[in-house]
Amino acid sequence: MEGLVQDFLYNLSLAVLTLLASIAIYGIKKMTDKLVAETNKIDSEEERGLIHDAIFRLDDVAEKTVKKIEQTVAKEMRQAVKDGVKSKEDLIELSKVAFNEIKKTMEPEYVNALKATLGDVDAYIRNTIEAKVLEIKEGAI
């Protein structure tokens, strides 16, 4: 009986986490859509094009970076955390690796365009990383 209750609570927890993650992805997608809509209001065609390119470039770089880390390190790291060999902080450290790779890869003109439009580019990059991780886990990309 106790095992049944534990299974139920575990499945309920997973369902709640999945729901929260889906809400987070939805929010990030809405934020991206809003950003694209805002850039459409910019008068300068060149500036608008640069911002659109920056958004899509960030999405592409984030997806490729997260997939690379997932393919090379993340699966084993999650299993090591589950087995108690590694700490959850080691797993969290992978998002910092992804963040640094993305920042290094992004062209300065794109980063500057995003700063002018978003303000906190670092937070946007971190949110994009989290969304990509979740998409990979759910098999969306």
Side-chain angles (χ1 to χ4, degrees), residues 34-85:
K34 181 180 182 223
L35 181 60
V36 169
E38 288 295 320
T39 60
N40 286 334
K41 295 178 184 176
I42 297 173
D43 291 333
S44 166
E45 184 69 35
E46 185 177 324
E47 190 177 343
R48 183 173 46 243
L50 179 62
I51 294 168
H52 277 282
D53 290 348
I55 293 167
F56 293 112
R57 177 73 173 135
L58 173 59
D59 189 66
D60 181 56
V61 170
E63 182 175 326
K64 287 180 173 130
T65 302
V66 169
K67 280 183 175 180
K68 181 188 88 170
I69 290 172
E70 178 67 25
Q71 187 67 29
T72 58
V73 182
K75 286 181 186 177
E76 291 81 15
M77 182 75 76
R78 274 195 298 280
Q79 187 60 45
V81 169
K82 188 176 179 181
D83 294 342
V85 176

Side-chain angles (χ1 to χ4, degrees), residues 2-130:
E2 188 176 312
L4 185 61
V5 171
Q6 285 179 337
D7 286 346
F8 173 76
L9 290 176
Y10 177 75
N11 288 332
L12 181 63
S13 298
L14 284 178
V16 169
L17 285 174
T18 301
L19 177 63
L20 290 174
S22 297
I23 290 170
I25 285 179
Y26 176 76
I28 290 169
K29 288 193 182 295
K30 290 297 262 182
M31 185 172 62
T32 301
D33 291 344
K34 181 180 182 223
L35 181 60
V36 169
E38 288 295 320
T39 60
N40 286 334
K41 295 178 184 176
I42 297 173
D43 291 333
S44 166
E45 184 69 35
E46 185 177 324
E47 190 177 343
R48 183 173 46 243
L50 179 62
I51 294 168
H52 277 282
D53 290 348
I55 293 167
F56 293 112
R57 177 73 173 135
L58 173 59
D59 189 66
D60 181 56
V61 170
E63 182 175 326
K64 287 180 173 130
T65 302
V66 169
K67 280 183 175 180
K68 181 188 88 170
I69 290 172
E70 178 67 25
Q71 187 67 29
T72 58
V73 182
K75 286 181 186 177
E76 291 81 15
M77 182 75 76
R78 274 195 298 280
Q79 187 60 45
V81 169
K82 188 176 179 181
D83 294 342
V85 176
K86 296 274 187 178
S87 71
K88 193 157 188 129
E89 287 74 33
D90 292 325
L91 189 58
I92 292 170
E93 195 66 31
L94 291 178
S95 68
K96 293 177 184 174
V97 170
F99 176 84
N100 290 332
E101 277 192 41
I102 291 167
K103 280 287 277 226
K104 185 175 70 177
T105 303
M106 289 290 292
E107 294 83 354
E109 66 194 65
Y110 287 157
V111 173
N112 292 335
L114 290 172
K115 277 182 188 173
T117 307
L118 293 171
D120 191 354
V121 175
D122 291 352
Y124 187 73
I125 291 172
R126 283 190 288 275
N127 289 339
T128 302
I129 290 168
E130 292 303 318

